[in-house]
Amino acid sequence: ELKVEQNPLFLSMQEGKNYTIYCNYSTTSDRLYWYRQDPGKSLESLFVLLSNGAVKQEGRLMASLDTKARLSTLHITAAVHDLSATYFCAVGVDKLIFGTGTRLQVFP
Amino acid sequence: GAGVSQSPRYKVAKRGQDVALRCDPISGHVSLFWYQQALGQGPEFLTYFQNEAQLDKSGLPSDRFFAERPEGSVSTLKIQRTQQEDSAVYLCASSRPGLRTEAFFGQGTRLTVV
């Protein structure tokens, strides 16, 4: 059974700092997604990573995928308050298996 | 439409009542998915349609849950004899066919069973 784990579950960070969220999954998958969810809102797609070594960047967020290690990272550079949200990774082709989520809070 | 539309946004049901949740996918999207998201958790897969065919219903928690998409567009998730543990946000997503497509999620329906 495919399992997806994220860490940390909670992250409180100061504006301007850097941090990385980790996503581990238990079986082979060629596709990994990162989503953002604001409280009471739906999921917003951030990145789709389709191959080993894929790296994508959007603003202060950068995601990477290592299919051999079954690991994806979401790196936050110089955090700002607007990045406060819950971040999910998900693995799968049709049926997505989501991680536990990382609740990020950025404070001044 | 511009995005995946779900209705109602909020539903309060008395225990034992039947409910029906509607999903309008993005026009042209042949794949449609239902997920259940409990408070503080990640979404969990319920079922998946390609056009009108229900290809995977392995995530439906019990036979009280039923989903349909009779014309390959709008989908309805029905929950019979609701129980308190059914309280959650029900998310619908749709995607185009193909290997490089991603799923777009609706706003969800928050179901509270009292």
Side-chain angles (χ1 to χ4, degrees), chain A residues 31 33 35 37 40-43 45 48 50 88 94-96 98-100 103, chain B residues 33 35 37 41-43 45 48 56 58 91 99-103 105-107:
Chain A
R31 253 191 273 187
Y33 304 81
Y35 287 90
Q37 187 174 41
K41 304 291 185 182
S42 190
L43 296 162
S45 177
V48 182
L50 296 172
F88 291 97
D94 297 314
K95 163 185 173 180
L96 294 183
F98 283 81
T100 45
R103 184 180 296 179
Chain B
F33 309 84
Y35 290 84
Q37 186 175 22
Q41 305 292 319
F45 172 81
Y48 156 55
D56 187 340
S58 62
L91 295 166
L99 291 177
R100 295 185 177 272
T101 61
E102 60 190 281
F105 282 80
Q107 296 273 53

Side-chain angles (χ1 to χ4, degrees), chain A residues 18-84:
Chain A
N18 304 331
Y19 210 84
T20 300
I21 299 170
Y22 297 88
C23 173
N24 290 90
Y25 53 98
S26 60
T27 61
T28 302
S29 178
D30 291 332
R31 253 191 273 187
L32 188 135
Y33 304 81
W34 283 98
Y35 287 90
R36 167 182 172 147
Q37 187 174 41
D38 291 284
K41 304 291 185 182
S42 190
L43 296 162
E44 174 191 351
S45 177
L46 296 175
F47 301 107
V48 182
L49 302 170
L50 296 172
S51 61
N52 187 41
V55 177
K56 290 194 175 180
Q57 183 164 4
E58 181 73 33
R60 301 174 187 274
L61 300 177
M62 183 174 70
S64 66
L65 177 62
D66 181 344
T67 57
K68 293 180 181 177
R70 298 174 188 167
L71 171 69
S72 179
T73 61
L74 181 66
H75 187 72
I76 303 158
T77 302
V80 293
H81 179 71
D82 285 352
L83 290 179
S84 297

Side-chain angles (χ1 to χ4, degrees), chain A residues 85-104:
Chain A
T86 298
Y87 293 84
F88 291 97
C89 62
V91 176
V93 175
D94 297 314
K95 163 185 173 180
L96 294 183
I97 306 299
F98 283 81
T100 45
T102 296
R103 184 180 296 179
L104 171 66

